[in-house]
Amino acid sequence: MGRKSDESKGNIKGLDPPEEGRRDYLKTVGALVAGLAVGGAAGWLARPAEKITETLTETVTKTVTVTPTPTPKPTPTPTPTPTPMEFKHGKSVMYLTPDIHETWWVACKEYLKRAVEADGWKFAFDVSDWSDSKCTDQLVTYSTLYDIIFVFPTSLEGINEGIRIAEVENHCPVVVQKNFVVGEYGRFCISFDDHGAGMRQVEMAVNAIKQRYGTTEGKKIICFSGARAASGWRGRAEGFLDGMKLHPEIEYEEWDCGASIEGWANQADVYFATDTCDAIVAGSGGPYGRGIIDALSRYGKLYYVGDPNHIYMVTIDGKPSELQWIRRGYQDDVLSQSPDCLMPIGWYLARDYIVKDASYQYPPYTMPSIPTPIEVGAPPTGYWGEGDPKMKIDKGLIFPQVSMPQGVSPVYTVNKDNVNKKEIWGNTYTFWRGKEDIQMLTWPAKGTPPAWSQKLLDDYEVMFTENYQW
């Protein structure tokens, strides 16, 4: 076989590799050792030399490709579904009002309360007693205890700092309801058209004088106004004065009666004790207007509508008592200031845009806004007059220097022709609150009651009985 075995050395000649292949040789020997471990030394050494050489050659020249094991990618962590933010004060509303001793103030509170509670929110109220400083303190305090505040302000600017603290420092939105404020803070403000109503009262009084006398020359209109510190009464008084500028031929006086019912009664008594007029314009009605009718009756100047001596009278509010006194022929007209629309609409706008979620109570404390311009009509439970009139709300609409959204309500007239319309708030209010305390008062007016009076009174009683929620 051309090879010689040297047993003394225990080597197999012919397997010694040349010097340049020594490294490969060492690898091969390592492989042989491994093979002995697996197959057994005796079996391995019994193979012929030729076979061994052949096997070694094949092992050395074979190229082995190793595919690396891929590094496993980390399993992505699923994004948790965010937990809805909870309102910090249990979905609660605080309403601040300057007064609660008279029908109008109670009506505003009750209509707002009913709307809020119908949506599952909690409602509370407090009274500021016509004090800007007290209202400011209330805003600061209650903004840490409630999720939103509705405020019926007194003056135009007196509570601006309270609103700022509530919104900026305590992250509580404030809605200005009914009276205006002139400030940069507050979510929005919706109000009765006080100035427009004052001007409209003048127009109605002038028309009544023309119908009675055929002229307005030398005639007289007396205006009983509420406290000018209150922006609503101030707006009506200024509307009256602007209206009178259009009629320089008419004599007029404005009497400031203050904010109390007693103040109105005293001023009316002082005036009619010594003077008279052709038309009366009053910035409020109901309990405030009662003092006027009392004075007219006391001094023999109360005549039924239609009598040649009747003094025309138009008030603002549309309370149940005013409607009843229209039915009785004591007064002619009233401009309805409709809490059945204003108060629920304020809540609906806040519900849909301001407190739709609680995110404003958490960082970064972004205070929500309503979209502008926006138009709203009467709510399903309210009435704003015939033809579905709308209120427009926009920035700078009433006070151009203020960017807070503002809007004024439609105004409609109630008189003998529509006083028994079921939807008017002065009627619907009695269906679920009962009749106003002074609603059934009567006075010994002079002349003959109008032919239509008793039928209106009878029809109202039928309507009340059918709809009163005992």
Side-chain angles (χ1 to χ4, degrees), residues 293-311:
I293 301 178
D294 279 341
L296 288 171
S297 176
R298 183 178 300 115
Y299 297 109
K301 298 170 184 177
L302 179 63
Y303 290 83
Y304 286 112
V305 171
D307 190 277
N309 295 310
H310 172 73
I311 299 174

Side-chain angles (χ1 to χ4, degrees), residues 295-446:
L296 288 171
S297 176
R298 183 178 300 115
Y299 297 109
K301 298 170 184 177
L302 179 63
Y303 290 83
Y304 286 112
V305 171
D307 190 277
N309 295 310
H310 172 73
I311 299 174
Y312 173 83
M313 181 173 174
V314 55
T315 59
I316 290 177
D317 281 335
K319 299 172 186 126
S321 52
E322 292 168 88
L323 304 193
Q324 190 75 349
W325 300 337
I326 288 175
R327 295 183 187 102
R328 291 199 176 276
Y330 299 146
Q331 75 173 75
D332 302 81
D333 295 299
V334 58
L335 299 183
S336 181
Q337 184 184 199
S338 308
D340 60 327
C341 295
L342 279 171
M343 306 311 285
I345 285 174
W347 167 245
Y348 297 151
L349 289 170
R351 176 198 65 189
D352 294 344
Y353 297 107
I354 309 302
V355 293
K356 59 182 178 180
D357 59 58
S359 59
Y360 63 89
Q361 295 179 323
Y362 299 86
Y365 302 109
T366 302
M367 193 63 67
S369 300
I370 64 172
T372 53
I374 187 173
E375 284 191 343
V376 294
T381 56
Y383 176 76
W384 251 346
E386 297 299 318
D388 191 25
K390 299 289 193 298
M391 172 171 60
K392 181 180 180 181
I393 305 172
D394 202 358
K395 295 178 180 179
L397 189 64
I398 309 303
F399 298 98
Q401 71 273 30
V402 178
S403 61
M404 179 179 61
Q406 309 152 54
V408 293
S409 72
V411 180
Y412 66 91
T413 303
V414 181
N415 52 42
K416 66 180 181 60
D417 296 324
N418 65 348
V419 67
N420 278 348
K421 187 174 181 63
K422 176 182 173 182
E423 293 79 8
I424 293 173
W425 87 264
N427 290 327
T428 60
Y429 184 74
T430 66
F431 299 158
W432 53 273
R433 286 281 299 186
K435 293 178 180 178
E436 190 178 3
D437 290 343
I438 60 173
Q439 182 174 341
M440 306 308 287
L441 286 178
T442 61
W443 287 267
K446 294 182 177 181

Side-chain angles (χ1 to χ4, degrees), residues 4-13:
K4 194 173 185 177
S5 177
D6 186 347
E7 304 211 5
S8 63
K9 294 184 177 179
N11 292 332
I12 302 176
K13 286 190 175 182

